[in-house]
Amino acid sequence: MLDPLPVKGVRFAAIEAGLRYRDRPDLLLIEAAEGTAVGGVLTRSAVPGHPVPWCREVVARGRARAVIANAGTANVFRGEEGDRAVRAEAKAVADAIGCRMEEVLVASTGVIGQRLPVERIEAAVPDLVAALAPDGIETAAAAIMTTDTFPKWASRRADIAGRPVTVTGIAKGSGMIAPDMATMLAFVATDALLPAPLVQRLVEEGADQSFNAITVDGDASTSDTLLLLATGKAGNPMPQSADDPALAGFRQALFAVLKDLALMVVKDGEGATKLVEIRVDGAESDASARRIGLEIANSPLVKTAIAGGDANWGRVLMAIGNAGEKVDLPRIGVAFGGFPVARNGGAVPDLDEAPIDAHLKGREILIEATVGIGPGKAAVWTCDLTHGYIDINADYRS
Amino acid sequence: MLDPLPVKGVRFAAIEAGLRYRDRPDLLLIEAAEGTAVGGVLTRSAVPGHPVPWCREVVARGRARAVIANAGTANVFRGEEGDRAVRAEAKAVADAIGCRMEEVLVASTGVIGQRLPVERIEAAVPDLVAALAPDGIETAAAAIMTTDTFPKWASRRADIAGRPVTVTGIAKGSGMIAPDMATMLAFVATDALLPAPLVQRLVEEGADQSFNAITVDGDASTSDTLLLLATGKAGNPMPQSADDPALAGFRQALFAVLKDLALMVVKDGEGATKLVEIRVDGAESDASARRIGLEIANSPLVKTAIAGGDANWGRVLMAIGNAGEKVDLPRIGVAFGGFPVARNGGAVPDLDEAPIDAHLKGREILIEATVGIGPGKAAVWTCDLTHGYIDINADYRS
């Protein structure tokens, strides 16, 4: 994996605060220069973790100076105490770096329902601030890992009206992953100069094609958070609107970073042995295509078939039928690895199974489904469902 | 398990037609007397198996004389050929027993996408008809098994206005099970005299509290079918309406049979080691409570925790948050086996885990969730998610 690129106006630090994990960093601080605009997408869970409503308010104001994130305890379902802990974290960071509490974003990932040892966070903040540096992004990514098996980062370069800009993101997540985000935390920073509403719009668009198009086990979490910080230090001309042609390259770079991170999360899905891409077309709309794709991607029967290398298109068909979307049965087709197995409402006769079986032995699987209604299309990603998932989840108190 | 009770006016037969399975009966015929009223609930899949639209038409007319059902091939996604096969089956039975094609219900369960060897069914019909008898219900139940590990039947007695009536049902299903029915076939017969619209209403009500309240893996199938045949041979006074007090005992008996069958299906869930009942109250409505219950019941993280004997209420909370239903976070409570683990929006302090751990070691688990909004409540059932599920489904071409 390529090294992550530093971003002008952003510094990182990670430290071992001993919140739950031992012998590894578990507390991350991202500091962003004054004037940083922020956008974000957060879980839609009806029982969000305590950091989530706090972040929603910060994001709504469009300005941020820091992100403090811990791994080990998710600070969920703790009543008043949980809300107080969030404010205490924000205050400790604000006091240490010299900004307002309301400019500090907070995130937590880990076990639900246990108390966050906020006093240890407060005690660690001075050392964290002292350690802030433009590099150290890899250690930052490692500090927020829970069941992840590898730290996740991605970077791209682009330009806006001729000025070079950089986009770098880190993320964590492997189980409890579904669209509407998941205990998935993703922090993306850029030095591009962008107005806050545009930052918000870009992160929402980007989320739809990346984090909202992945699923590991269909279980969206209480704490999903995707934040995009734009420091403005690249000094590009301020874009006029979301459609400003000068943004084309930047948008591409941002979406590529988000997609890289999202696919890393899926590949790290608990127990995953294969990355599965599901492309749906012919749907009534793109949103309809995505719902169909996710129905296929969330089907335990499809996912176990993939795990077993079985080109079981009957199960794919079954999932298509369950999505609650408009489909035209006599025009449905399904293909594995580009090889059609079902077409125009029936099985492909005299199918040569050899190339299909070979494809399914691989680690990157492609399933295509066409449903015969309209122009809608979408791509979603998931992983297979294996014994590894059972091993991990019948044991991990999270 | 108690022996099933014969039903006046109903005869059963099962035979080995060699459709896919060897050395076991795989074709079932149920014959019902002239004058039998029928009601039914069928899959809502957008890609239903070929028997499904045929049954929908028969059920809409309210009259039936027979059900022919095979195991091994589901006759799904076969185009014109699949529809022709259904008509051929109906015709063969109609000719043999002397009724109209349109009075013959058809069902198939098994692999999706493969051709149904209808000529073997046609060839077997005369022997089937010759074997019709009022008993032999257990063999009938065995004839429709696929991944089931045991044949499923249930009976109850009741009376309508003093006349004794009997209700007996058979069912099959273990994987690919979710509400909106599943490859789940259930055929229930009674000798009660009921008008067809009432039969339909009773079976719909009953389905909501039984088959539509169970899930094994969240994957509803293409072929779910629940049929209720009422022969009228008990000679009871015809009830005037659905609310006729004379029906109270019958309704109870019918729902008990449906629930017995539905719970048998869940207990036979692929890889299941535990039956899990989830009771939700405090929801906005009963339907809302059920959706919350099913979100919990379908969560791979909840189901693996149960498999591991882990009282992981955080995952239950996570699932509650994902149901898309109204909940009041500070009033949420969760209990395992009647022991509260979370109450009024927070963890129960100083929790004695011993009785809870003991409960979770058992084979019947109770999870209760209250969500603090209104009077809505519901109960749903599922099973745990184990290595057994992976073993079965990474291998079975279905």
Side-chain angles (χ1 to χ4, degrees), chain B residues 23-225:
Chain B
D23 306 319
R24 52 152 280 191
D26 60 354
L27 187 64
L28 157 70
L29 179 64
I30 302 174
E31 183 214 40
E34 286 205 43
T36 293
V38 66
V41 181
L42 297 127
T43 182
R44 278 191 279 227
S45 171
V47 295
H50 293 285
V52 173
W54 173 267
C55 281
R56 222 182 272 288
E57 288 182 23
V58 175
V59 165
R61 285 187 295 264
R63 295 266 155 234
R65 290 290 315 281
V67 180
I68 181 151
N70 74 282
T73 313
N75 192 15
V76 175
F77 211 62
R78 297 296 304 181
E80 287 260 359
E81 171 223 277
D83 290 330
R84 277 197 307 263
V86 170
R87 288 195 296 271
E89 292 183 77
K91 183 174 197 318
V93 170
D95 288 351
I97 74 174
C99 69
R100 293 181 300 118
M101 273 174 68
E102 294 75 18
E103 294 173 310
V104 179
L105 295 149
V106 178
S108 293
T109 178
V111 177
I112 291 171
Q114 288 181 11
R115 180 184 174 273
L116 177 70
V118 64
E119 59 286 349
R120 290 195 206 170
I121 294 180
E122 289 169 308
V125 163
D127 288 342
L128 254 187
V129 172
L132 283 169
D135 55 9
I137 296 164
E138 298 172 35
T139 313
I144 51 172
M145 289 169 61
T146 55
T147 54
D148 307 69
T149 65
F150 63 93
K152 302 170 173 73
W153 65 79
S155 288
R156 289 291 193 287
R157 285 195 174 99
D159 73 78
I160 298 179
R163 297 288 297 201
V165 300
T166 302
V167 185
T168 288
I170 60 174
K172 64 84 50 183
S174 64
M176 206 180 275
I177 296 290
D180 291 329
M181 315 291 304
T183 312
M184 207 221 50
L185 301 182
F187 308 129
V188 183
T190 178
D191 50 3
L193 178 65
L194 303 163
L198 182 50
V199 175
Q200 181 61 30
R201 172 139 169 198
L202 286 166
V203 76
E204 286 175 5
E205 265 190 63
D208 257 6
Q209 305 186 18
S210 58
F211 293 110
N212 283 342
I214 63 167
T215 178
V216 165
D217 53 11
D219 272 337
S221 94
T222 55
S223 305
D224 307 345
T225 302

Side-chain angles (χ1 to χ4, degrees), chain A residues 46 219-220 299 315 321-322 387 393, chain B residues 46 219-220 299 315 321-322 387 393:
Chain A
D219 273 336
S299 159
R315 293 181 183 184
N322 282 337
H387 287 293
N393 287 302
Chain B
D219 272 337
S299 159
R315 293 182 182 183
N322 281 337
H387 287 293
N393 287 302

Side-chain angles (χ1 to χ4, degrees), chain A residues 70-164:
Chain A
N70 74 283
T73 313
N75 192 16
V76 176
F77 212 62
R78 298 295 305 180
E80 286 260 358
E81 171 222 279
D83 291 330
R84 277 196 309 263
V86 170
R87 289 195 296 271
E89 291 183 77
K91 183 172 199 315
V93 170
D95 289 349
I97 74 175
C99 68
R100 293 181 298 118
M101 273 174 70
E102 294 75 17
E103 294 173 310
V104 179
L105 295 149
V106 177
S108 292
T109 178
V111 178
I112 290 172
Q114 288 181 11
R115 180 184 175 274
L116 178 70
V118 64
E119 59 287 349
R120 289 194 205 172
I121 295 179
E122 290 169 309
V125 163
D127 288 342
L128 255 187
V129 172
L132 283 170
D135 55 10
I137 296 164
E138 298 172 34
T139 313
I144 50 172
M145 289 169 61
T146 54
T147 55
D148 308 69
T149 66
F150 62 94
K152 303 171 174 72
W153 65 78
S155 288
R156 289 291 194 286
R157 284 195 175 97
D159 72 77
I160 298 177
R163 295 291 295 202

